[in-house]
Amino acid sequence: MIPYILYTALILSACLMFYKLLLQKETFFQLNRLVLLSCMILAFILPLLPVPQQLSLRKDVIVKHIPLAETAVIKNQAVQLKAVPVQEVYVEQAKQTFDVDLLFHWLVYLYWFGVLIFALNFLMQACVLLYRAYSLSAIQDGKFRIVEITGDKAPCSFANNIFINPEKYEWETYTQILQHEKIHIEQKHTVDLLLAEVVLIFQWFNPFAWQWRKALESNLEFLTDDKMLQQDTVEKESYQFSLLKVAAPHFPLSLTTNYNQSLIKKRIIMMNSKKSSVHTTWKYFFLLPLLVLFVCLFNQPVAQGQTLNLNEESKEPNEHSNIQNGMDTEGSWFAVIKGNTVSIQFKNDESNNSSTTFQLSELKGLTKDMKGEFTITREAGIMNFEGKFEGNNGMGTYKFVASKNFSKEMAEEGVTITDESDLMVFFMVNVKTSYVKMLKKNGYKDIDKDQLIPLVALDVNEEYVTSIKQAGIPDFDLDDLIPFKSMGIDKAYIDEIRQAGYKNITADNIIALKSQGVNGKFIADFHNSTSSKDDDESGDNIIAFKSLNIDKKFIDSFKELGYNDLSNDDLMALKSLNITPAYINEFEKIGYKNLKPDDLFALKSLNITPKYISEFEKIGYKNLKPDDLFALKSQNITPDLINEYKNLGFSDLDVDNVIAAKSMGVSPAFIKTMKEKGHNFKTLEKYIELKAVVGVN
């Protein structure tokens, strides 16, 4: 449950950042509403979807070349090798100092306590609203109910109820408020807010979820304002003045659409913004690949054709089932002899088949070019074959007979085998009682039958088990042997990692390092090239460097430019943003030397280029500070806009004044309009002050 909640939080956070960066300033309010609602719902659905193995980008290591479909009986924890996300490495390391399980349980209790508190708050708000709606005096206006309230409370709506104090407002303002709230009701905005509140109940710990609700509420107000201004009877200027009159610091309940004072300024700015061009709708199409990427990265991969019907009982109680996960203990066989081995395919219908390779010497009684019988005998039982080989190719029928003595011997070793189908799988991979005894001799007492199959199939022999045990990895268990063997992790690799400085590394840490191809040389280069003294006992920083392809050459290239004290986080940010020494040199050529890493990140993120800076230098703005550049770019201020201000008579404009004018919506068109109305000021600051008062173009 907890991984699901965290995955949901991750999707919600990523979608919010996508919305904030690309969509928030667009005036496609209806489309933005659809995006916000869809992402909110998909965040809870996507983690539940399985993804085909071939599309998965997870680093899960899966045992390959086991020539049997029967290995599907292995439990997930045995077949699907442990995923190695970086964030989990810290948990294993922490076991040495405190009880992680206890902490985890307390966190679970804390989470559900928070869910309970916020659920009660939700129910309480709903009850309060319903009580007010049907206990106070109300006027029925068609499908709308206008509920009269008292006190200095802002108007709001919930479901089909409009809460308003009619004594507070003039008739024109009162009418516009009702029109505004009726739009909320007609478009069912209460549904959006209720869904957002439900999300907050389960994501109360996630700050992005709170920001999501705020973004959703803002967009609903923008959408309603846009619908209001489309009406012929509503003038923009009077409507904006009405908003200023209605705004109140006394907030209604969060389940309602309301006149939130903190939103008024944003709403006025958005009403005066230029309508987005249809050519900018391309941004919305990038949301789909983002969601697909999350599914491929984090969702559980499912192999096609795999079945996990463990120990299913027959639907016919009077008949003994011969079915073993899609393969009968009786059926047809097809074989090809290659040298000293024979590859046999076992088939029982059109879709279910499996194959494995035996030594030719195991086939007792085999005769070629004539029909006959032969057998393969192993500890788990006997496979009886009937058929004919013509040259090196053969076909016929088979029947498996389990060994009762083998089941008894395995039970004495603590491994319970309940049915014949399990014994057939043991036969195919050739599990022996001596193998179980070897594992127990090496300290692995609690052995499950589903652990034995991948261990034997991967040829995890006594020599390998002993060498790994000698490595002395803390908290190492039997399941760890499976990913170790499949990934080629041996004692030499473990010693190499320890010699590089990681003395107390855990099994999961080693798996993570190996999966990224990290070796001792890479670790040495990492330590020699970075000046960070941060503890990295689990190797997380190294794994991140390897995955981002940050090597000694990359780090040295920045040292040559004087960046000798870059932290690991700085290096990862530089690589992620594709900031190169060549990129820095371009800024140095135009006078921007010794730029701080944070300035570089902002320049790259805002797409501020030397060409962009040179355009301002041409109109007299030289030696602009990085902070000024960030403000100019974020406000989309261009040299052409500054020239428009200058053409209106404002010479020697200060950058700060231009930025303030743009942020307040004091456009050249606004200034021209004010001059036509008699407001002739000599400074731009006066028009900014005027804008704060009138709030119109």
Side-chain angles (χ1 to χ4, degrees), residues 519-530 551-552 555:
N519 54 28
K521 182 181 182 303
F522 185 87
I523 295 173
D525 289 343
F526 169 82
H527 288 152
N528 293 333
S529 301
T530 58
D551 53 17
K552 186 176 184 297
I555 298 170

Side-chain angles (χ1 to χ4, degrees), residues 397-583:
T397 60
Y398 71 88
K399 181 178 180 179
F400 173 71
V401 179
S403 170
K404 294 182 179 179
N405 288 335
F406 179 76
S407 299
K408 183 178 179 181
E409 291 173 1
M410 294 296 284
E412 291 174 354
E413 298 298 332
V415 180
T416 304
I417 306 174
T418 57
D419 56 40
E420 193 173 280
S421 61
D422 290 330
L423 287 167
M424 185 173 178
V425 180
F426 274 46
F427 172 88
M428 290 295 186
V429 296
N430 199 16
V431 178
K432 300 178 180 180
T433 54
S434 59
Y435 187 80
V436 178
K437 292 177 180 179
M438 179 273 291
L439 292 176
K440 295 179 74 173
K441 184 179 72 173
N442 282 276
Y444 300 106
K445 304 299 182 183
D446 298 324
I447 304 171
D448 187 85
K449 65 182 177 66
D450 295 318
Q451 293 173 313
L452 288 171
I453 297 169
L455 289 170
V456 175
L458 287 167
D459 191 26
V460 181
N461 54 36
E462 185 170 11
E463 180 183 359
Y464 183 79
V465 172
T466 303
S467 66
I468 296 298
K469 187 177 180 181
Q470 290 172 351
I473 301 171
D475 300 322
F476 191 86
D477 58 38
L478 195 59
D479 285 336
D480 292 323
L481 282 170
I482 301 168
F484 267 49
K485 183 65 174 180
S486 65
M487 298 176 71
I489 299 172
D490 54 18
K491 187 175 183 297
Y493 178 78
I494 298 169
D495 291 341
E496 180 182 352
I497 298 300
R498 283 179 168 163
Q499 289 170 6
Y502 296 99
K503 303 297 183 184
N504 300 316
I505 197 162
T506 66
D508 282 349
N509 301 153
I510 295 171
I511 294 170
L513 291 169
K514 186 67 174 181
S515 67
Q516 291 293 335
V518 175
N519 54 28
K521 182 181 182 303
F522 185 87
I523 295 173
D525 289 343
F526 169 82
H527 288 152
N528 293 333
S529 301
T530 58
S531 59
S532 174
K533 304 300 181 183
D534 297 336
D535 292 333
D536 188 31
E537 294 183 1
S538 62
D540 284 356
N541 287 333
I542 287 182
I543 294 169
F545 271 47
K546 186 67 175 180
S547 63
L548 290 170
N549 196 27
I550 299 174
D551 53 17
K552 186 176 184 297
K553 182 180 178 182
F554 178 82
I555 298 170
D556 289 343
S557 66
F558 285 95
K559 286 184 177 181
E560 292 174 1
L561 295 178
Y563 293 93
N564 296 312
D565 297 318
L566 291 172
S567 68
N568 291 339
D569 289 340
D570 290 339
L571 289 166
M572 287 185 274
L574 289 169
K575 189 68 175 182
S576 300
L577 291 169
N578 195 27
I579 297 174
T580 63
Y583 177 83

Side-chain angles (χ1 to χ4, degrees), residues 66-68 342-346 354-358 378 428-429:
I66 300 177
L68 295 173
V342 55
S343 177
I344 302 178
Q345 181 182 34
F346 299 88
S354 180
S355 64
T356 190
T357 301
F358 300 90
R378 290 179 170 177
M428 290 295 186
V429 296

Side-chain angles (χ1 to χ4, degrees), residues 137 151 219 256 311 390 425 448 474 523 530 597 610 616 635-636 645:
S137 60
N219 185 70
T256 62
N311 301 328
E390 294 183 355
V425 180
D448 187 85
I523 295 173
T530 58
F616 285 96
Q635 290 291 332
N636 196 27
Y645 285 122

Side-chain angles (χ1 to χ4, degrees), residues 589-606:
K589 289 177 182 178
I590 60 173
Y592 288 86
K593 300 182 182 296
N594 302 319
L595 286 169
K596 297 177 181 178
D598 288 344
D599 291 338
L600 290 171
F601 304 152
L603 289 169
K604 188 69 174 182
S605 300
L606 291 169

